Amino acid sequence: MSAECEYVVIGSGAGGGTVAARLAEAGHSVVVLEAGGDPRKLKAGDVLDPEVNRLPEDYDVPAFHPFASENEAMRWDFFVRHTSDDALQELDPKYLRTYEGRTVDGVLYPRAGTLGGCTAHNAMIFVAPNDEDWDEIAQLTKDESWKAEKMREYFERVENCHHRPWQRWLEKIGVNPTRHGWKGWLQTERALPMGALVNRALRDAVLDGAFEAYFHSREKREELRWLFKGLWDPNDWRLLKENAVGVRYTPLSTRNHARIGTRERLLETRRKHANLRVELHALATRVLLDNNNRAVGVEYLHGENLYRAHPRPNAAGGELRTIRASREVIVAGGSFNSPQLLMLSGIGRRDVLGACGIKVRVELDSVGRNLQDRYEVGVVNRMKFPAWPLYEGVKFAARDPQFGQWASCRSGIYATNGNVLSVFRQSAGNNRAPDLFCMGLLANFQGYYPGYSKKFATDLNYLTWVILKGHAANRAGEVTLRSADARDTPLINFHSFEDGGDADIEAVLEGIHFVRRLVAPLRTQDLLDEEEVPGEQMSDAELRKFVRCQAWGHHASSTCAIGAKEDGGVLDGNFRVHGTAGLRVVDASVFPRIPGLFIVSAVYMIGEKAADVILSGK
């Protein structure tokens, strides 16, 4: 059969959307297969208004991102295990054995099945990876192009920074010490400042606690030098080079304070380049391999809501179609779906494929293994007043005054993701990059479970400090097939804390004690009513158990890792699947070790790098 295009890209998220747009700009014919629809054209409700269409507002408005993750038109609900120990798993209150009449046996792990992938529902946090994240890949692959100095060029290529105005002017005369990007396709803006708390006493109490902790463990001279050099900017290259810690603001990937991601990147590229085609409602079922294991095309089902992660999956089977590629197939389905698709195509572990009756084409034992994530917990505080002042009249809907302020002026609380303050820290004994990120939210957030987002709209007098443990040691997780049916979700078990678990738990425990110091001024001013979760009465031993049983994550990675086949790798340093030709993976699954503290910037960067590699003929 003749090829319909040069490249087929499966998935439109941070990896797939980025590489597809860049290949199309270079003049190549590209078809993107996306299983979902366009989030700005779909219609559906969420947990606040199930019967009312909440789109495109759930997609557009930064503060609505929790509702976007539970909007029925976009959401894919995976349910994952954190351990194989049933008794231990059931200690997590978020665990469900059944949900809506079906067996799920896991904890909700929201993903987005829509144009833009998870860039359509994430919290838009855009924080650069640390140098060591790239330098380790360079050492592993013996490829200097992976070194941090070179990879920063891809960060600059992606970003269009709008939160350092003076530095933006300096760049015009060739001075760019921050190494921000100023002309990229992804605009970044600053999140809501602390002044939005309105009440000066509350604002000062939170800031006093932050600065007390900020200067707690280091010499003030070093902290102040970082502060004045980087002006609280976590992406300033000079601070990253020094593994700087301290208080930071949170840059967001927004344009005019509305969400922007690979949806916009693809559609804007398509308007300029007719050689890019985006096929929506196209669920890839198999990569087609010829007799020499060269990828020559993709088999897919065309139809709405075919994947069974959708809350209301289509009972019909969809129309089976095939598309041929003359050059390559690029898999970019994410850390759950990319290994699933490789296995469905006969690439993976012999025992897993055999159990599902799938013929082995390429035996790669590490497909689906090495699953990693970060560990997160929330310290949830209820305040003594009925609501934060900035929430007066809030409905988190298009009918309230806050929405009017956002719609007319692109300002106010809806122009942010809800984060009011962030602190980067190094846990005890860690002399490398910061591995603790502590984020203050004016919300009640205890992790993911069906209906979790409703509390963002109803519990208006809460302060949650989310503690995120980056660079976790655990690599024991895995994704395996449930069946040979491409519409079924895979089986996912993170096997949390099985590798290096004690050290990671101690780091999270340190984070809990740290954020408690942050809220201490609120308690002394009689503003804080109670720490609801985990509860001040818990001993350290009980807190360790709380972390082990209830920690969650939402940055799954590393299931198709770069590395030599004999060392457990699935891909070479140019993203090519071992034992095949014309087949690459470009998404969060490629990292040998989960990078940084927030993964999306790293995925955008490898999307740009993959495009360079492909265009160079490697």
Side-chain angles (χ1 to χ4, degrees), residues 119-140:
T119 72
H121 79 180
N122 66 5
M124 296 151 287
I125 296 173
F126 190 76
V127 173
N130 297 105
D131 285 5
E132 66 184 58
D133 297 318
W134 304 121
D135 290 343
E136 288 180 357
I137 301 179
Q139 183 178 5
L140 177 71

Side-chain angles (χ1 to χ4, degrees), residues 405-420:
Q405 183 180 9
W406 175 84
S408 61
C409 305
R410 286 296 196 268
S411 63
I413 63 168
Y414 286 178
T416 182
N417 65 353
N419 175 22
V420 292

Side-chain angles (χ1 to χ4, degrees), residues 79-82 89 94-98 104-108:
F79 286 86
V80 306
R81 296 277 302 213
H82 291 158
Q89 181 66 82
K94 300 183 294 297
Y95 168 78
L96 295 172
R97 186 170 296 279
T98 62
V104 294
D105 185 31
V107 177
L108 177 65

Side-chain angles (χ1 to χ4, degrees), residues 34 68-69 74-78 109-122:
E34 167 54 53
S69 72
M74 298 193 296
R75 82 183 209 236
W76 275 3
D77 295 340
F78 289 88
Y109 202 107
R111 301 282 85 182
T114 191
L115 183 61
C118 288
T119 72
H121 79 180
N122 66 5

Side-chain angles (χ1 to χ4, degrees), residues 284-311:
T285 59
R286 184 165 59 104
V287 176
L288 300 175
L289 303 173
D290 68 11
N291 292 334
N292 296 316
N293 287 334
R294 168 174 286 277
V296 295
V298 179
E299 180 184 87
Y300 67 99
L301 291 171
H302 185 265
E304 295 187 17
N305 308 332
L306 294 174
Y307 197 51
R308 294 190 178 104
H310 191 278

Side-chain angles (χ1 to χ4, degrees), residues 34-78:
E34 167 54 53
D38 184 340
R40 298 202 80 252
K41 296 182 178 179
L42 296 169
K43 297 183 185 299
D46 56 30
V47 296
L48 291 185
D49 292 300
E51 306 302 323
V52 175
N53 178 35
R54 293 266 302 181
L55 290 170
E57 289 80 12
D58 276 355
Y59 176 82
D60 288 338
V61 181
F64 288 11
H65 69 89
F67 314 116
S69 72
E70 294 202 279
N71 187 287
E72 191 167 295
M74 298 193 296
R75 82 183 209 236
W76 275 3
D77 295 340
F78 289 88

Side-chain angles (χ1 to χ4, degrees), residues 109 111 133-134 136-137 140 146 331-340 342-343 349 364-374 470-480 492-494 499 554-564 567-571 575 578 585-596 599-600 602-603 606:
Y109 202 107
R111 301 282 85 182
D133 297 318
W134 304 121
E136 288 180 357
I137 301 179
L140 177 71
W146 278 103
V331 178
S335 294
F336 298 156
N337 292 107
S338 285
Q340 180 186 20
L342 291 184
M343 288 185 278
R349 289 164 47 187
L364 268 181
D365 286 347
S366 295
V367 172
R369 286 178 164 159
N370 195 46
L371 174 63
Q372 299 170 43
D373 208 337
R374 302 184 176 91
H471 292 144
N474 188 52
R475 300 185 180 189
E478 63 178 346
V479 175
T480 57
I492 304 161
N493 193 326
F494 282 91
D499 289 340
H554 64 292
H555 297 154
S557 74
S558 307
T559 50
C560 299
I562 290 171
D567 296 329
V570 176
L571 314 174
F575 306 95
H578 292 310
V585 178
V586 183
D587 58 28
S589 70
V590 310
F591 300 107
R593 188 178 75 135
I594 187 169
I599 201 168
V600 70
V603 181
I606 61 109

